[in-house]
Amino acid sequence: MNTTVLKAEGLGKTFPGRSGLASAGRSKGVRAVDDVSLSMNAGETLAVVGESGCGKSTLGRLLLRLIEPTEGEVSIDGTDVSSLSGGEMRQFRRHAQMVFQDPFGSLSPRRTIARIISEPMESFGTEATARARRERVAELLTQVGLPTAVMDRKPRHFSGGQRQRICIARAISVSPRVIIADEPVSALDVSVQAQIINLLQDLQEDSGFAMLFIAHDLAVVRHIADRVAVMYLGRIVEIGSKDQIYTAPQHPYTQALLSAVPEASPTRRRKRIVLGGDVPSPVKVPSGCSFHPRCPIAQDICRTTRPALAHKNGGSEVACHFAAPNPLG
Ligand code: SF4
């Protein structure tokens, strides 16, 4: 039976705009995330993809309440995270941990590996004594494929891939129910990326945490995701199983993103769909369907009426008036 671990409903975030003389009186906010609803089951990986600035990292932080939502609710294992006080939230964070993109910046250079990995255990009181924490650090290092002998070294002695293993050990040290992995392999060499992806998959299989995997590389996502959500200008425009998204994407934006992904077989070639224009500014989101200025099949209704996310054509949920499966042949 599928157990829902995380649920978000109507989540939105508007960052305040600039005002005053320097900004010529502009005060309109930046709509970074707009009306996002999603859920994740135990042991499931939901990948969130989209171009830079589409709101995927902000969404990850909203889910953990690292930033406060403007509206909407998040619950983890049935607890309404949005209603917790500051102190309650600090304790609750044990259940939801984050792995960041930059393994160089996210480890304190002055601390030993043992100290770094022990931090969450100390904060949340999951291991009562220093000795128990040290034993747990040894166990975690083995789990992430590092020798226990490294625990008294400092981060500067490690490569990017090894540092990301340390970050992952720290994240899983308190047995979280949810992990938000924000571009966890994009700063690593291609050869190391696969090792980290495999490690995350193995750990998930052992522990059963739900994982939100934020990425822009659709080739990487294909390896790790169970389901995929595609974001554009702060909204989810398509969400479905990996097979639905990769074999029959319905939204023109998803189709364009996937057309740029190299085929596994060199004998197969996809027709590349090149979108016109740049992603519009989230300060001035286009009316109707926000994708209409770049959409190759836009019609009049698209400029005035925002399409709702809905199941269409027996496939994924898609926000498009004219959605149609495209096998990307
Ligand atoms: Fe394109 Fe219209 Fe669909 Fe938006 S609703 S993706 S503009 S066809």
Side-chain angles (χ1 to χ4, degrees), residues 251-253 289 291-292 295-299 302 305 307 319-323:
H251 196 284
Y253 180 60
C289 172
F291 186 58
H292 83 251
C295 181
I297 59 167
Q299 300 191 30
C302 305
T305 308
C320 173
H321 297 302
F322 305 102

Side-chain angles (χ1 to χ4, degrees), residues 82-103:
S82 334
S83 68
L84 297 179
S85 67
E88 289 169 335
M89 190 61 222
R90 271 191 292 284
Q91 276 309 306
F92 195 78
R93 281 231 167 82
R94 172 196 163 174
H95 304 294
Q97 293 285 303
M98 190 132 187
V99 176
F100 294 96
Q101 174 181 0
D102 178 11

Side-chain angles (χ1 to χ4, degrees), residues 95-253:
H95 304 294
Q97 293 285 303
M98 190 132 187
V99 176
F100 294 96
Q101 174 181 0
D102 178 11
F104 294 89
S106 52
L107 298 176
S108 168
R110 293 169 196 275
R111 296 193 169 163
T112 63
I113 301 311
R115 186 78 206 283
I116 288 169
I117 297 177
S118 297
E119 275 165 7
M121 291 184 253
E122 274 185 64
S123 306
F124 301 117
T126 55
E127 304 291 340
T129 63
R131 187 179 172 167
R133 286 194 289 277
R134 212 168 154 81
E135 280 170 12
R136 176 86 175 122
V137 168
E139 206 177 281
L140 287 160
L141 284 170
T142 307
Q143 260 185 292
V144 300
L146 291 172
T148 55
V150 304
M151 69 166 84
D152 294 315
R153 292 199 198 153
K154 297 209 170 139
R156 65 174 179 275
H157 298 292
F158 298 90
S159 67
Q162 289 170 326
R163 288 183 201 205
Q164 199 57 295
R165 286 174 191 269
I166 294 163
C167 293
I168 292 168
R170 178 175 58 184
I172 62 167
S173 65
V174 286
S175 308
R177 298 279 290 147
V178 176
I179 286 191
I180 309 284
D182 188 359
E183 303 261 13
V185 297
S186 56
L188 305 176
D189 291 345
V190 175
S191 57
V192 181
Q193 288 184 358
Q195 296 169 15
I196 298 295
I197 297 281
N198 291 341
L199 173 63
L200 284 168
Q201 282 181 312
D202 290 347
L203 294 171
Q204 188 183 41
E205 219 171 286
D206 290 346
S207 319
F209 54 78
M211 179 160 61
L212 190 89
F213 189 90
I214 298 166
H216 64 272
D217 185 337
L218 282 134
V220 167
V221 164
R222 188 169 209 161
H223 285 290
I224 196 162
D226 298 303
R227 287 188 300 133
V228 180
V230 181
M231 281 188 81
Y232 187 78
L233 274 179
R235 293 176 72 89
I236 291 179
V237 295
E238 185 161 7
I239 182 166
S241 69
K242 179 169 69 178
D243 283 350
Q244 286 169 339
I245 299 294
Y246 279 85
T247 60
Q250 302 197 69
H251 196 284
Y253 180 60

